[in-house]
Amino acid sequence: MRLDKLLAHMGYGSRKEVKTFIRKGYVLLNGEAVFDDDIKVDEENDEIILLDQSVEYQKQIYLLLNKPKGYVSATYDTKEPTVLDLIEETQKGLFPVGRLDKDTTGLLLITNDGKLAHELLSPKHHVAKTYELTFTGEFKNSFVNQFKEGIVLEDGYICKPALFTLIEPQRGKITIFEGKFHQIKRMMLALGMEVTSLRRISFGDLELPKDLAEGEYRPLTKEEIEHLKA
Ligand code: URA
């Protein structure tokens, strides 16, 4: 496989960006700097290092995106930009694991591993998702227990226990272990409050990296992938 194709496939940047990395000598192939972006590599056996980081080729792609507002969590949409428009990726078959609303920001996993996505989203596995939110309306201390006991949504659905921590009078943190449509907004509405901003800061063991700007993404590390699979 061509070196630039491999690096782009693995999510290290667009084809153009990774070509620049190679031409600047950021990539070591079996210990030697290479400057030739179309050089062919043996993806199974060659040692590839990009800026001190070992690049392990994987057919399956796992990217952690910091989703900005204004993008829908879909692979295709006739009207709106999708989260995949943010991924400069040559690999086909990528999709977001679950959904964040168009106006929600934060951690969204993008992969082509259908089996893992299915397991992470399965209600059986209760993957924890933590969000930071701002809201209008009065927060009463008794709400913390109501979240623990299970909020009843407007359609009668009883939510699984959730954890709410108030950070400031109109700002909090909430962890849920399921993923119903507009769940956080609906839970807050059920208690007479309205969400004004929502950002996912963790998904299972994965945390939104502080240095990842909105719209940016990075590949998961080998350890992060193993953890998710476990
Ligand atoms: N809950 C919501 O209401 N919106 C999201 O995007 C995620 C969780």
Side-chain angles (χ1 to χ4, degrees):
M1 182 183 282
R2 280 172 61 131
L3 180 58
D4 56 352
K5 186 168 177 213
L6 183 145
L7 292 173
H9 166 88
M10 293 300 299
Y12 287 97
S14 66
R15 207 56 180 263
K16 199 165 148 212
E17 283 163 342
V18 301
K19 276 175 194 286
T20 312
F21 297 158
I22 298 167
R23 290 185 196 143
K24 287 188 171 168
Y26 293 174
V27 182
L28 301 184
L29 179 62
N30 299 321
E32 304 234 344
V34 279
F35 298 91
D36 198 359
D37 50 53
D38 65 359
I39 193 168
K40 289 263 180 6
V41 294
D42 172 351
E43 60 269 18
E44 304 297 340
N45 297 308
D46 281 340
E47 184 197 60
I48 301 164
I49 311 258
L50 171 62
L51 288 175
D52 291 337
Q53 210 184 329
S54 172
V55 176
E56 311 279 348
Y57 176 75
Q58 285 148 348
K59 268 212 179 99
Q60 270 152 343
I61 306 286
Y62 305 91
L63 304 172
L64 190 163
L65 169 71
N66 185 356
K67 179 190 171 299
K69 281 186 182 180
Y71 290 80
V72 294
S73 300
T75 50
Y76 174 77
D77 195 280
T78 48
K79 292 194 212 95
E80 314 279 3
T82 76
V83 288
L84 288 191
D85 293 331
L86 297 161
I87 311 290
E88 303 212 42
E89 182 59 53
T90 53
Q91 178 72 12
K92 298 269 187 299
L94 292 176
F95 58 89
V97 178
R99 278 165 193 271
L100 290 179
D101 296 339
K102 187 175 158 194
D103 58 353
T104 300
T105 60
L107 196 164
L108 186 63
L109 200 58
I110 309 278
T111 186
N112 55 0
D113 184 341
K115 183 168 172 279
L116 181 67
H118 181 74
E119 284 178 8
L120 291 172
L121 295 175
S122 157
K124 270 191 289 179
H125 290 108
H126 311 293
V127 174
K129 295 144 205 138
T130 300
Y131 296 81
E132 267 180 13
L133 67 157
T134 55
F135 58 89
T136 54
E138 191 197 349
F139 189 90
K140 302 195 179 111
N141 286 341
S142 61
F143 290 168
V144 173
N145 266 336
Q146 281 186 258
F147 276 108
K148 270 193 205 149
E149 278 157 19
I151 302 285
V152 183
L153 299 183
E154 79 296 339
D155 61 359
Y157 176 77
I158 304 171
C159 296
K160 303 247 162 0
L163 304 170
F164 192 103
T165 313
L166 193 65
I167 301 171
E168 285 170 15
Q170 307 297 159
R171 193 158 77 89
K173 208 155 100 169
I174 180 164
T175 302
I176 55 174
F177 302 87
E178 55 186 339
K180 300 284 168 210
F181 187 60
H182 297 327
Q183 181 158 350
I184 307 280
K185 291 173 186 166
R186 291 163 69 208
M187 287 168 110
M188 294 295 281
L189 269 183
L191 296 172
M193 297 169 289
E194 194 169 346
V195 171
T196 46
S197 72
L198 189 60
R199 182 160 72 114
R200 182 152 71 188
I201 56 170
S202 74
F203 182 91
D205 287 341
L206 291 176
E207 292 197 357
L208 183 66
K210 297 238 174 331
D211 57 354
L212 194 70
E214 283 180 15
E216 287 185 353
Y217 59 93
R218 67 152 172 82
L220 292 193
T221 63
K222 230 177 164 178
E223 292 73 36
E224 285 171 331
I225 297 167
E226 276 163 16
H227 246 100
L228 269 188
K229 289 188 172 171

